[in-house]
Amino acid sequence: MKRNLERLANQKFDVLVVGGGIHGAITAWDAALRGLSVALIERGDFGSGASQNSLKIIHGGLRYLQDGNLSRIRMMVRERTTWMKIAPHLIHPLPCLMPTTQKMSRSRLAMGLALMANDYLSFDRNQLDDPEKDLFDGMIVSQRELSRILPGYDVSTSTGAAVWYDAQIYNSERLLLEFIISAVQIGAEAANYVEAISFLQQGNQIIGVQAKDLQTGQIFDIQSKLVINCAGAWMERLLEKAALYSEYATSIAMNVIVDQVWSDVAVGLTSQPVNGKPPQVLFIVPWRDKSMIGTYHLPWTDEPHTFKLNESMVQKFLDQINSAQPPYELSLEDVRHVTWGFLPVNKADANKEHVNLTRDGVVIDHQKKNGLSGLISVLGVKYTTARVVAEQAMDLAVNQLGMKTKKCQTHTTPVSGGKIDDFGDFLRRALAGVPRPINKKSIEHLVYTYGSEYQKLLECVQSRPDLARRIDPPLPVTVAEVQHAIQYEMALTLADVVGRRTELGATGLPSGTALQKCARLMSREFQWSPERQQQEIDSVIQDYPFKKMETTTA
Ligand SMILES: Cc1cc2nc3c(=O)[nH]c(=O)nc-3n(C[C@H](O)[C@H](O)[C@H](O)COP(=O)(O)OP(=O)(O)OC[C@H]3O[C@@H](n4cnc5c(N)ncnc54)[C@H](O)[C@@H]3O)c2cc1C
């Protein structure tokens, strides 16, 4: 996958997608699968917006039982199965647990009924042939069982726990990238660090965008019959360039990564009212050898780019967590990393302290709404539902283009790396044939990360054993992966490699030695000067505002 700005400037595309978050990535893949010519531009790196910061849960919709919106739950159940089918290496079942209490709404009876309804509404969830993807029925467990599952948890106020299954994204940045790689493999053109700066317009028709290559400053036009605005929190900023507006504003959502609280199970705990926030369910999710806790919501009415995370915001989140679980007293010193991003709210709710998130993804037809053809906007609210929202956007796009195309195929076509029928069996066979110079743990890491494409990386290290060296032990990431990211995956900055191509930065700032090694590898390809290498390292360090808690820096 290489940037080809000449093709972007010289070809007229059927569809141009602006924004390389999960919604843009799947929209481009959908368009390419339907046989349309498609380009995607992203002004940062692919997935560097909200998509990089999710809690990695593919929700089956249990929480929406309280809204009584059964069609939303059914849709989420179907999508969860679809994710496990099209990306079996990157989506896996996740056991979840919520302690039951004497309070009626959290009682064994109420939670037991909710689990029964959840099982009933997801009756068809185990239709995949892959036994690794089976999601067992929900159940209520005793207080004694709860203390066995959550060692150290003070069970005195609990009457037991509700246990059910959802799914977790093993690596959401790679998953997003696999959609882009897949689209490019069948003819799409994609480029990171290219920003749409204005629209090309002829009367009431959008006919493309004026774009800026942020690597060189070069400005050029990209022509397309239709532009799909997948700019996430910046959707409105892009619309303003066509003198349009939407009903949506932004809010901030935040997760913290701390040392492991509990392994293997995601635990839902209800916070007490604190700092003016009403009680809220927070999830402590297993994340590699750490725990990720989310999600904290803050109103934000200013320009998205002016938001700056500070310690007081994080402390308020920690207060909320600590109110839910008194024996576990988290302080700023415990925070390894904070991930945050923007989520949409209705403009009418934008100023409210209690953030009222938009529940469903929206596809805006500007032809119908504003009389401006050639432009569709997509408002994404969940990673979980991104595929189905992209499908709706592309159905509308095809209709507007008036072209005869194939139907949507994203629900049945595996993404790059996803050609695996039975993940457990695939992994066992990969481990059985472990060749030198790579060990079982590294093979397992490659299979989970690259799926059916893991052989490509394996072949690299077999032909060049020096590439099997780990960048930042005990993390399993090898030199081969960094090389692969630079040569084949359009990684242009150190932050791309550390944060979105490999999992070097997934749980906190990598060591200074690791950053230097990666910067040196990149400078061989891009001829970076020592000053540029240092700038790249400094820029990664800035992405980890809580770096002082890390033991090593560059
Ligand atoms: C803290 C947090 C936790 C979450 N947890 C979960 C979860 O557990 N499960 C779940 O399902 N969902 C979760 N979500 C929601 C989910 O992550 C988002 O809904 C989703 O990632 C949004 O995707 P997107 O493509 O719409 O936006 P983004 O990922 O923000 O992508 C938009 C992209 O457009 C680019 N862009 C903007 N303007 C331009 C321009 N002019 N030219 C070119 N590019 C442009 C931006 O750089 C950005 O990369 C969470 C979100 C957050 C923030």
Side-chain angles (χ1 to χ4, degrees), residues 18-24 41-44 48-51 53-57 59 194-196 230-232 234 238 253-255 295 339-343 380-384:
V18 177
I22 191 63
H23 288 84
I41 54 170
E42 161 57 52
R43 71 165 175 203
S48 57
S51 301
N53 299 300
S54 95
L55 196 58
K56 329 276 181 206
I57 295 183
H59 302 277
V194 174
E195 178 174 12
C230 291
W234 298 271
L238 199 59
M254 188 196 303
N255 302 318
T295 295
T339 62
W340 65 270
F342 295 99
L343 284 180
V381 297
K382 284 244 163 284
Y383 206 109
T384 305

Side-chain angles (χ1 to χ4, degrees), residues 18-226:
V18 177
I22 191 63
H23 288 84
I26 307 186
T27 301
W29 166 230
D30 190 325
L33 278 174
R34 291 185 202 226
L36 295 170
S37 64
V38 54
L40 178 147
I41 54 170
E42 161 57 52
R43 71 165 175 203
D45 185 28
F46 306 123
S48 57
S51 301
Q52 184 171 357
N53 299 300
S54 95
L55 196 58
K56 329 276 181 206
I57 295 183
I58 295 293
H59 302 277
L62 174 65
R63 67 167 68 177
Y64 296 119
L65 273 176
Q66 54 200 21
D67 297 355
N69 189 332
L70 302 189
S71 63
R72 190 196 287 134
I73 297 174
R74 282 294 299 149
M75 184 261 279
M76 293 179 95
V77 167
R78 274 196 303 273
E79 286 308 299
R80 189 179 55 191
T81 307
T82 301
W83 281 111
M84 291 198 284
K85 178 163 67 187
I86 63 174
H89 57 309
L90 288 168
I91 315 276
H92 303 277
L94 173 71
C96 302
L97 173 155
M98 188 175 289
T100 52
T101 64
Q102 301 286 1
K103 203 174 155 205
M104 190 51 210
S105 61
R106 289 275 182 270
S107 65
R108 289 168 66 95
L109 177 66
M111 294 297 286
L113 288 171
L115 292 184
M116 270 168 64
N118 191 46
D119 288 342
Y120 179 73
L121 286 166
S122 59
F123 67 94
D124 52 356
R125 66 189 180 278
N126 291 331
Q127 56 180 256
L128 300 178
D129 290 335
D130 185 346
E132 198 251 356
K133 306 299 178 204
D134 279 353
L135 306 180
F136 302 118
D137 281 354
M139 63 180 142
I140 297 291
V141 300
S142 66
Q143 199 188 43
R144 181 192 285 202
E145 187 67 0
L146 173 62
S147 61
R148 191 192 63 76
I149 302 172
L150 302 185
Y153 179 75
D154 175 5
V155 294
S156 59
T157 56
S158 310
T159 54
V163 178
W164 73 97
Y165 280 77
D166 251 325
Q168 185 176 28
I169 315 174
Y170 178 78
N171 184 331
S172 52
E173 296 71 48
R174 287 225 53 98
L175 178 55
L176 186 151
L177 192 73
E178 297 300 359
F179 284 109
I180 295 187
I181 291 173
S182 305
V184 168
Q185 279 169 349
I186 56 168
E189 195 57 58
N192 50 3
Y193 299 101
V194 174
E195 178 174 12
I197 53 173
S198 62
F199 287 108
L200 306 176
Q201 196 168 340
Q202 241 170 27
N204 281 340
Q205 170 93 32
I206 296 290
I207 53 162
V209 303
Q210 189 175 55
K212 184 173 183 182
D213 174 8
L214 299 178
Q215 295 273 301
T216 60
Q218 184 203 349
I219 291 180
F220 58 99
D221 291 347
I222 307 175
Q223 295 184 50
S224 66
K225 295 180 189 158
L226 196 73

Side-chain angles (χ1 to χ4, degrees), residues 457-472:
L457 276 296
L458 199 56
E459 280 159 21
C460 281
V461 298
Q462 278 173 313
S463 60
R464 291 255 322 265
D466 55 312
L467 298 184
R469 281 200 322 270
R470 292 187 180 195
I471 296 277
D472 199 11

